[in-house]
Amino acid sequence: MAEFSFELNEDQKAVREWIHGFAADVMRPAAAEWDEREETPWPIIQEAAKIGLYSLDFYAQQYFDPTGLGIPMAMEELFWGDAGIALSIVGTGLAAVGVLANGTEEQIGTWIPQMYGDANDVKVAAFCSSEPDAGSDVSAMRTRAVYDEAKDEWVINGTKTWATNGGIAGVHVVVAAVDPELGSKGHASFIIPPGTPGLSQGQKFKKHGIRASHTAEVVLDGVRVPGSCLLGGKEKLDERLARARERATAGGERLKNAAMATFEASRPAVGAMAVGTARAAYEVALDYARTRQQFGRPVIDNQGVAFQLADMRTRIDASRLLVWRASWMAVNGKPFDSAEGSMSKLFASETAKKVTAQAVQILGGNGFTREYPVERMHRDAAIYTIFEGTSEIQRLVIARTLSGVPIR
C-alpha cells in the first residue's frame, strides 16, 4: 500500500508537465472556437491520440498508479485547459471503465481497442445509463433487456439521455434492467457494437456549458446483440441475480445503500475536473487583478478583491486535498466510511461554481464578455454540481453514511 503524500514523485511531475503543455498549447487556443461551434473537436482528439494522451494505455497507467493520484492529476490539468474539449477527450474513458470493471478478459481485449481507434482514425465510445425519468434514481430505469434463449441474443428497448458521445460513438455501453423487481441490483451492462440496427441518436442537447462535448439521447428500438455482448457473461449475471433476490428478502434498504456505494469510487475524478476549471478561472482573475489599474492602482490593492482571491485559492487547495485523499483511499482499498468520495465531489464542484462566479465579478464587465475565458469557465462549471450525482445527492449520501439511517 502506497503512503499518502502531498508530494508528486518525479514521474508524476513529468506527466503533469506533459499534459499541461498539451492543455496550454493545443486545447486553450482552440477552446473558444469549439465552444461556439458546439461540435466534437475531432482534430484536437486526434492530436491527443498522436502523442498517446488519447489512448487506453495512458489512462490505464494513471488508473493503476499506486498512489491514486494519476487520474486526478491528469483530470485537473486537462480541465484546466478547457472543460468541453477535455470531456470530449476523456468521455470514452467512461465506457472503457465500464468494460474494465464488468467485462471478461475476452470482452476487454475485443471492445476497448475499438473504442479508441488509432491516431489515423480516432473513435469515441459512449456510456449510457441516465434516462429521462431515471437520473439520480437509478432504480427507476425503464430500459429493458430480455434474453432470447433460442437465438442466444438480448433484445434491448428504451431511451437513454445525457449520454456523452451518444449516437456518434462507435461502441456504446448500455445499462439496462434485466430484473426490474430488484431495482439497481437487477441491472446489467451490454456492449452495442458499431452499426447495430435499432440504435439511433435522438435529441442532441444544446447546452449552457461544456459545449464542445457532444451530449445526446440514445434510442434503442428492438436492438439485438449476441449473448457475448453481456458484460461478464450470463452465468455470472444469473449468480448475481440469485444472490440479490435472497438478500432482497432479508432487507431491500441494505441493497440500495450498497448500490449507492458503488458510485462513490468514481466521484473524486469529477472533483478533480472541477478543481481544474476553478484553478483556471482563479489564475485569470489573479493576473487581471494584478495588472488592471483602477483609481491609479492595481485592482488587487483593493481589499475586497484581495480577500476574494484569498478565499478562491483556499477553496481550490482544500478541494484538491479532498480529491487526493479520496483517490488514495480508493486505490488502496480504504472504505469510504464517511462518504469521502462524495465529500470530494461535493466540495470541489461547489467550489468551481463559486470561484468561476467570483472570477467573472473580479473582471467586471470584461468578465461578462466572451473576450475573456472566465465567462466560458463559469458556464462550464455549472455541470459539476449536476452530473455524476447532483450536490443534493452527494449530501444525501454523506448524511446517510454518517447517520446510518435511510434519510430521504
Side-chain angles (χ1 to χ4, degrees):
M1 181 177 68
E3 293 185 1
F4 181 61
S5 173
F6 297 129
E7 181 68 24
L8 299 177
N9 60 42
E10 292 305 313
D11 288 342
Q12 290 169 327
K13 290 178 181 177
V15 171
R16 182 181 63 183
E17 291 305 309
W18 174 59
I19 300 172
H20 185 83
F22 180 83
D25 298 338
V26 181
M27 294 172 65
R28 281 206 166 179
E33 175 190 351
W34 290 101
D35 177 73
E36 290 286 346
R37 292 174 63 169
E38 297 193 52
E39 297 175 358
T40 300
W42 291 106
I44 310 300
I45 299 175
Q46 187 171 37
E47 288 300 313
K50 286 179 180 178
I51 64 171
L53 182 56
Y54 181 71
S55 69
L56 174 63
D57 288 344
F58 171 73
Y59 288 106
Q61 289 174 11
Q62 305 315 310
Y63 184 81
F64 291 110
D65 181 342
T67 70
L69 302 185
I71 289 295
M73 175 192 66
M75 294 300 108
E76 179 177 340
E77 294 306 322
L78 285 170
F79 282 76
W80 172 89
D82 178 67
I85 294 176
L87 194 56
S88 288
I89 292 173
V90 307
T92 295
L94 298 174
V97 168
V99 176
L100 282 170
N102 301 299
T104 64
E105 290 187 8
E106 182 179 356
Q107 289 169 331
I108 291 170
T110 298
W111 295 112
I112 292 184
Q114 294 187 46
M115 292 180 174
Y116 287 91
D118 57 47
N120 296 317
D121 185 21
V122 293
K123 306 291 185 182
V124 294
F127 182 77
C128 308
S129 178
S130 294
E131 297 184 5
D133 296 318
S136 299
D137 183 9
V138 294
S139 63
M141 187 175 294
R142 294 181 179 178
T143 298
R144 299 287 185 262
V146 178
Y147 184 57
D148 182 342
E149 188 171 359
K151 295 184 178 181
D152 184 27
E153 291 180 341
W154 288 90
V155 184
I156 307 172
N157 288 281
T159 300
K160 295 296 181 178
T161 194
W162 312 124
T164 298
N165 298 331
I168 66 170
V171 176
H172 290 75
V173 177
V174 173
V175 182
V178 295
D179 190 335
E181 293 183 0
L182 292 175
S184 60
K185 284 294 182 181
H187 295 172
S189 296
F190 298 85
I191 290 286
I192 313 297
T196 299
L199 184 146
S200 62
Q201 178 182 308
Q203 176 187 4
K204 178 188 175 182
F205 296 104
K206 296 181 72 67
K207 304 187 299 294
H208 176 65
I210 55 167
R211 301 198 304 193
S213 174
H214 177 95
T215 310
E217 289 182 333
V218 174
V219 179
L220 303 114
D221 183 10
V223 169
R224 283 183 170 267
V225 296
S228 59
C229 286
L230 166 64
L231 289 180
K234 193 167 188 304
E235 182 178 347
K236 183 178 178 181
L237 172 64
D238 289 341
E239 293 174 355
R240 178 167 62 82
L241 293 177
R243 290 195 302 270
R245 293 184 189 107
E246 292 175 2
R247 292 171 181 169
T249 303
E253 188 60 49
R254 186 168 64 89
L255 279 174
K256 190 173 183 180
N257 288 340
M260 293 182 72
T262 302
F263 292 102
E264 273 282 275
S266 65
R267 286 171 175 157
V270 180
M273 298 174 187
V275 171
T277 299
R279 189 184 111 212
Y282 159 76
E283 290 176 0
V284 173
L286 177 62
D287 181 68
Y288 186 91
R290 284 172 169 168
T291 57
R292 175 71 169 177
Q293 295 280 326
Q294 287 289 297
F295 303 106
R297 59 180 184 176
V299 170
I300 200 169
D301 281 359
N302 183 312
Q303 189 180 79
V305 173
F307 281 10
Q308 281 196 74
L309 288 163
D311 287 344
M312 292 160 73
R313 177 59 185 268
T314 300
R315 287 188 66 98
I316 291 167
D317 282 12
S319 298
R320 184 183 298 108
L321 293 177
L322 285 170
V323 167
W324 282 20
R325 179 185 69 168
S327 300
W328 174 84
M329 290 176 68
V331 81
N332 285 285
K334 298 286 186 181
F336 288 158
D337 291 332
S338 299
E340 287 87 352
S342 284
M343 284 185 182
S344 68
K345 197 270 184 181
L346 171 66
F347 193 81
S349 59
E350 297 283 350
T351 290
K353 285 189 69 173
K354 183 176 181 63
V355 166
T356 55
Q358 288 176 301
V360 170
Q361 188 69 24
I362 288 171
L363 269 67
N366 286 327
F368 199 65
T369 71
R370 295 188 183 181
E371 297 300 314
Y372 288 80
V374 292
E375 175 272 340
R376 183 180 69 253
M377 294 168 183
H378 182 45
R379 287 188 285 107
D380 291 342
I383 193 59
Y384 299 124
T385 61
I386 298 172
F387 71 179
E388 198 71 21
T390 64
S391 288
E392 292 74 21
I393 288 295
Q394 306 307 325
R395 290 185 172 96
L396 183 62
V397 170
I398 296 166
R400 284 179 171 176
T401 304
L402 298 179
S403 67
V405 299
I407 298 169
R408 298 186 182 278

